[in-house]
Amino acid sequence: MWMALDLARQGRGRTSPNPMVGAVLVKDGAVVGSGYHQAAGLPHAEIVALRKAGEKARGAVLYVNLEPCSHHGRTPPCTDALIKAGVKEVVAAMSDPNPLVAGTGFQKLQAAGIKVRQGVLEEKARRLNEVFIKYITTGRPFVAVKAAMSLDGKIATRTGESRWITGERSRQYVHRLRDRVDAIAVGIETVLSDDPRLTTRLEGEKGKDPLRVVVDSTARLPLDARVISSGTRSRLLLATTSAAPPDKCRALQEKGVEVMVLPSRKGRVNLEELMRQLGERKITSLLVEGGGTLNYSLLEAGLVDKLYLFIAPLIIGGKDSPTPFAGEGVASLNKAWRLEQVEIKQFDQDLLLTGYPRKQ
């Protein structure tokens, strides 16, 4: 199963809206076939493994990190192929949360006389496909917020300078995160202060530029912003409200910007509606690199699933220096958000804390 999980990871960032899946066929103590799902529309992991195994698949045991599919999508059901190949047992880490599968794959295999076991390294498998699980069960993208701050929790100086708080290795990791997600979002204040391109730039390899989203309630996005003229083929979406001047919206559209007019809440873009519409577009994952206002608004609305918090060994100071989460804040500590399942990595002198925010 560890091998199946490692194989599945090789499809990271390329399988959306499908899950990452790895499969290993074992017979007489030896691996006779293995594979992973490389991209949506391409053969599933089980099919790749069966093709490599050939006749050796008969009587073999399949290890797979997700229940084999039993429905017709872009490809035929994997259960039919496993039955036809004569596999004698399937060991799966977890059942498929997709309502079109949800145990029917296991049932079909068992009805054909194939032994089924599940739950092996299930927690690891769930963590691996946390994006898929969130999307397929809610229809909304998995939202991760990334922030880079100093030791005293500042994301910029009082004058707005923020390049660069963290080092080169940390920034490369952020580009790796961009390469893995379907969309990236920032607030208009980030665009006005940093003028980012929001593209993926990886050393020595070509990355994938995700859909870029600018949350801008009144369409203040400058027509000469680098996010518009960055030269990438990825789409740029302006999420705005009816308060945006129609002339400015038309000018942005003429520049190739897609303008999405959303309902407002307290004068700002309704973020829940934005997530709903992104989900309808099959955006399964969203990386937010916004400032304190957007970050806190998402957190307050209960829309943040995961946090990536980079901490650099700097002290910036200043009561007016911005922080990763602005807004009103909580009145008492027992109402604060606490990170669960915290992991810590080090990139040279920077630390990266990842975790899942939970309201106390």
Side-chain angles (χ1 to χ4, degrees), residues 153-196:
K154 308 296 185 181
I155 59 174
T157 68
R158 59 183 173 81
T159 62
E161 182 182 346
S162 61
R163 293 182 179 174
W164 296 105
I165 288 178
T166 53
E168 178 60 29
R169 285 190 62 205
S170 296
R171 298 198 297 274
Q172 272 296 300
Y173 186 81
V174 173
H175 283 283
R176 180 66 63 189
L177 291 177
R178 291 181 180 182
D179 181 59
R180 295 172 178 173
V181 298
D182 292 340
I184 179 173
V186 296
I188 183 58
E189 295 298 341
T190 297
V191 175
L192 295 176
S193 60
D194 296 344
D195 197 18

Side-chain angles (χ1 to χ4, degrees), residues 103-216:
T104 60
F106 291 147
Q107 293 169 11
K108 195 170 184 179
L109 293 170
Q110 289 173 322
I114 297 175
K115 182 180 178 181
V116 171
R117 285 191 291 158
Q118 60 174 304
V120 178
L121 298 181
E122 181 172 357
E123 188 56 38
K124 297 289 185 183
R126 287 188 172 278
R127 179 72 67 89
L128 176 67
N129 271 315
E130 59 189 8
V131 167
F132 172 74
I133 293 171
K134 166 72 182 293
Y135 173 73
I136 205 67
T137 56
T138 69
R140 307 290 190 269
F142 183 92
V143 179
V145 169
K146 164 262 167 184
M149 71 187 85
S150 61
L151 283 173
D152 54 339
K154 308 296 185 181
I155 59 174
T157 68
R158 59 183 173 81
T159 62
E161 182 182 346
S162 61
R163 293 182 179 174
W164 296 105
I165 288 178
T166 53
E168 178 60 29
R169 285 190 62 205
S170 296
R171 298 198 297 274
Q172 272 296 300
Y173 186 81
V174 173
H175 283 283
R176 180 66 63 189
L177 291 177
R178 291 181 180 182
D179 181 59
R180 295 172 178 173
V181 298
D182 292 340
I184 179 173
V186 296
I188 183 58
E189 295 298 341
T190 297
V191 175
L192 295 176
S193 60
D194 296 344
D195 197 18
R197 286 178 284 178
L198 302 181
T199 54
T200 300
R201 301 180 295 281
L202 295 171
E203 292 183 357
E205 59 181 293
K206 182 174 175 57
K208 176 194 70 178
D209 290 336
L211 168 72
R212 296 160 305 145
V213 181
V214 176
V215 182
D216 180 5

